[in-house]
Structures are given as C-alpha cells and as structure tokens.
Amino acid sequence: QVQLVESGGGLVQAGGSLRLSCAASGSVFSINAMGWYRQAPGKQRELVARIASGGSTNYADSVKGRFTISRDDAKNTLYLQMNSLKPEDTAVYYCYAGVLVSATLPIRGYWGQGTQVTVSS
C-alpha cells in the first residue's frame, strides 16, 4: 500500500504564510497527478491546486497569485506554499496523489489524512 503523510499545518495570522508538505511512501513506482483539496466546516470539498507529472499546474481562482504548488519526484513529495493567507483559507487541507505502484498495474488514487490550517484575523 501507499501512504501519504502531511505536515505543515497550523495557526497563522492573516497575511502570513505556511508551507504544507505531503510525502508518499510505500510501493511507489511513479506518481501521476497530485493535488491539494480543502474543506471548511459546513462547506463542500474543493480543489485548491493540482500539478501534473510533467509540472503543469491548475489553481482555484480563490488562491491564484497567493498559493504555489510544487513537487519533488526524487522525494515523492508534494508541497503547497501559501502566502498572503486570509481567514477564508481556514480549512482542513487534504493531499491527493495518483500512484502507479508497478509497471503492470493501473494507477490508484490515495488521500492524506488531512491537516488543519487556521488563519486568524
């Protein structure tokens, strides 16, 4: 199996920054697309940012210009640099990865456990 381990969440003041990390471990042959999702209390889960294996990225309109998604394939790790944080960014952030566990098996999707990000006003 594959496990996604997240870190970097916490409490930060409005206007501050946080850097989230998501490390994949286990039977990882290669990783396809990866992404960050978030869910605030009483709201639907939403895609924050996605990065393809080739490095192309997509961002939610609400975070464009403030958040940057990146990946280090040598470490099987995904990052989300969050700058100019707003109280509206407060949510549980989830890491997602499409993982190829071997050359002969189809890609499987995996989720991290979620990490809390709280932005105070």
Side-chain angles (χ1 to χ4, degrees), residues 25-105:
S25 62
S27 301
V28 178
F29 180 79
S30 65
I31 302 178
N32 202 291
M34 305 184 77
W36 290 97
Y37 295 75
R38 68 185 182 187
Q39 186 168 21
K43 297 184 178 180
Q44 297 180 356
R45 184 189 67 178
E46 64 176 349
L47 175 67
V48 177
R50 177 191 290 112
I51 183 167
S53 60
S56 62
T57 58
N58 299 98
Y59 295 92
D61 289 340
S62 59
V63 307
K64 285 182 179 178
R66 300 188 298 119
F67 291 9
T68 302
I69 189 170
S70 61
R71 59 194 289 168
D72 184 341
D73 289 335
K75 298 181 179 180
N76 290 330
T77 301
L78 176 72
Y79 303 97
L80 184 67
Q81 179 66 46
M82 303 185 293
N83 298 326
S84 301
L85 283 162
K86 304 175 181 179
E88 298 78 51
D89 296 317
T90 296
V92 177
Y93 284 70
Y94 297 92
C95 172
Y96 171 86
V99 180
L100 188 66
V101 299
S102 79
T104 59
L105 294 174

